[in-house]
Amino acid sequence: MGPESQELVRTLKLVLESQDSTVGLHEPSLVGREKEYLNACIDTGWVSSAGQFVTRFEESLKSYTGAGSVTLVCNGTTALFVALVVAGIGPEDEVLVPGLSFVATANAVVHAGAVPHFIDSDEATLGMSPDVLTSHLQYVVKDSKIGPINRKTGRRIAALVPMHTFGHPVRLQELKQIADNYGIRIIEDAAEGLGSWIGDHHVGTTSSLAILSFNGNKIITTGGGGAILTRDPLLGERIRHLTSTAKVPHDYRFIHDEIGWNYRMPNINAALGLAQMERLPQILRAKRQLAHRYQEEFADSEYFEFVTEQPGTRSNYWLNTIILRRPSVLVRNEVLECAIAAGLGCRAAWDLLPSLPMFSRCPTSSLHVAKTLEASIINVPSGASLKVNQRR
Ligand SMILES: *Cc1c(COP(=O)(O)O)cnc(C)c1O
């Protein structure tokens, strides 16, 4: 074991040693009213795409985040796809996305018929860099009547999809200013951001559209699920209509007035979601405690730096992240193998999206920082149910 691996395993065991089995990266915490609500679905027969839990979970998300409208759908990827389509993104468009993100961010862009255009990361937030975006657009964009055009590809640059990496809010205000200058729309991929705030605003509530995910590994889960947030209640109604087969309400006839999607979240998933949502404050508190412990233990580390929330923002600390002070894929891999062998669920960040075969020919800014982050990010166990040893 190299010195980095020794230190990581020792530190994680110090913080987490009271666990009696191997520790996952992020296990769901299902200790509230989940069973009660699921039983209610079964007892009443309301298990499918209508039922009170869908409405109640939507309302609870709406009041917690302050969003103008929330529509639940079957997962975060479809949520992003729908948000892009209702924002008018389609064939011949390019969409600016972070080069360092989960594959779904770019997949949804392609599902909508558009082309992802990758942008470098910011070291402190791990999200899209406004500095790189500014200089890159100056270099790439040619102005025209229909909006900003990529002078190399001839396609319209139509939207920007910032992502709140591991729950750390992106530098949204600056990105918004740049996007506004060019007339580019912002759609936030807040899949990892439930419980994260920028000032007094929950992430995803100041842009026209945003999405959340409730996949099994996210901060709260519905098994699988997602939500589309919008500030505009009318647009919210349109999203609800489109994602539920564009059905016109009627007592006994089946009338559909356009081609919609069957993307609504089933009631049994929403039942889980409501129970999870009731415990979100406790989950967030537990995660902050764990993050605080890691921060203490890694404070004097020679090898690792713990990633903290930035001033003016509040992170949900969905996945706790440490960064190798000396980036190296070799060291990163060795550290991860040792940690996993010791029963500690650690993970690397995603391989950069343009390094994947299906995105290798897409336009991109320089990805200098993203490349460094890829070689240095290590996510450490972050579940809200982990027992945390206090400092001795
Ligand atoms: C999880 C995630 C998604 C997709 O959500 P699913 O519910 O898994 O489809 C999209 N973007 C990011 C950044 C994610 O982490």
Side-chain angles (χ1 to χ4, degrees):
M1 258 205 252
E4 298 88 352
S5 303
Q6 282 178 27
E7 187 187 298
L8 182 71
V9 169
R10 182 167 23 87
T11 309
L12 293 184
K13 284 195 166 158
L14 188 67
V15 174
L16 302 169
E17 78 186 342
S18 53
Q19 313 320 301
D20 25 334
S21 58
T22 60
V23 180
L25 178 69
H26 194 286
E27 272 150 13
S29 163
L30 302 164
V31 297
R33 301 174 76 182
E34 286 83 359
K35 276 188 193 162
E36 179 191 333
Y37 290 169
L38 283 175
N39 277 334
C41 293
I42 293 165
D43 292 343
T44 59
W46 288 98
V47 294
S48 192
S49 50
Q52 59 150 331
F53 289 116
V54 175
T55 320
R56 287 173 65 191
F57 183 31
E58 278 176 351
E59 282 307 316
S60 122
L61 283 166
K62 204 173 131 181
S63 78
Y64 177 78
T65 61
S69 147
V70 176
T71 307
L72 293 171
V73 291
C74 51
N75 61 55
T77 312
T78 49
L80 187 54
F81 162 70
V82 170
L84 289 161
V85 173
V86 301
I89 310 307
E92 297 313 305
D93 288 337
E94 277 177 22
V95 177
L96 303 162
V97 301
L100 181 70
S101 185
F102 179 53
V103 71
T105 312
N107 280 351
V109 170
V110 177
H111 294 158
V115 175
H117 183 149
F118 300 105
I119 303 295
D120 203 3
S121 316
D122 168 60
E123 261 168 28
T125 62
L126 315 178
M128 192 186 281
S129 161
D131 309 316
V132 173
L133 185 66
T134 302
S135 54
H136 183 66
L137 289 180
Q138 271 166 10
Y139 169 68
V140 151
V141 163
K142 169 176 85 180
D143 257 325
S144 84
K145 280 189 227 76
I146 60 161
I149 299 283
N150 182 336
R151 66 171 82 237
K152 286 193 199 141
T153 63
R155 287 184 291 250
R156 176 177 73 136
I157 299 181
L160 171 74
V161 181
M163 195 275 281
H164 306 286
T165 313
F166 310 136
H168 294 299
V170 77
R171 289 163 64 186
L172 191 63
Q173 215 40 51
E174 292 156 90
L175 293 175
K176 193 156 284 184
Q177 226 147 49
I178 302 164
D180 284 349
N181 285 343
Y182 283 95
I184 295 173
R185 298 193 61 155
I186 291 200
I187 296 151
E188 282 175 60
D189 181 347
E192 306 179 354
L194 180 64
S196 297
W197 300 75
I198 301 175
D200 297 333
H201 299 285
H202 192 278
V203 297
T205 58
T206 57
S207 306
S208 62
L209 285 155
I211 69 104
L212 300 171
S213 166
F214 309 111
N215 193 35
N217 61 349
K218 295 299 201 290
I219 186 150
I220 66 167
T221 185
T222 57
I228 304 162
L229 275 53
T230 169
R231 274 160 54 188
D232 173 1
L234 274 180
L235 181 59
E237 280 314 304
R238 171 141 182 80
I239 291 168
R240 189 178 308 284
H241 186 63
L242 279 173
T243 52
S244 46
T245 67
K247 189 174 188 297
V248 180
H250 192 283
D251 278 347
Y252 52 87
R253 287 177 56 199
F254 290 92
I255 310 168
H256 305 264
D257 59 3
E258 57 188 311
I259 296 185
W261 299 292
N262 176 19
Y263 286 169
R264 285 288 275 164
M265 177 184 285
N267 202 43
I268 45 173
N269 299 89
L272 271 183
L274 181 66
Q276 289 266 279
M277 196 61 197
E278 289 169 354
R279 288 189 52 257
L280 181 63
Q282 281 117 289
I283 290 174
L284 287 167
R285 220 173 303 131
K287 293 178 78 70
R288 286 189 83 77
Q289 259 162 24
L290 177 58
H292 184 71
R293 278 296 287 129
Y294 282 138
Q295 190 178 349
E296 269 178 355
E297 288 303 331
F298 285 109
D300 303 320
S301 168
E302 186 187 337
Y303 306 112
F304 304 104
E305 187 185 337
F306 182 77
V307 178
T308 56
E309 64 195 1
Q310 292 300 296
T313 73
R314 197 169 169 87
S315 174
N316 64 7
Y317 286 100
W318 169 54
L319 286 188
N320 285 296
T321 307
I322 53 174
I323 289 191
L324 277 171
R325 291 188 191 275
R326 286 181 290 280
S328 153
V329 173
L330 281 179
V331 173
R332 180 200 73 177
N333 293 352
E334 201 252 350
V335 165
L336 287 169
E337 277 156 28
C338 290
I340 289 165
L344 299 158
C346 295
R347 290 288 182 277
W350 313 279
D351 280 23
L352 295 194
L353 292 173
S355 77
L356 304 178
M358 58 287 190
F359 301 124
S360 63
R361 298 167 65 138
C362 294
T364 165
S365 77
S366 93
L367 294 173
H368 187 71
V369 176
K371 196 84 201 140
T372 310
L373 288 174
E374 179 192 31
S376 50
I377 286 175
I378 293 166
N379 289 128
V380 294
S382 299
S385 299
L386 290 173
K387 288 180 238 113
V388 181
N389 297 325
Q390 287 317 308
R391 187 157 210 169
R392 275 166 282 199

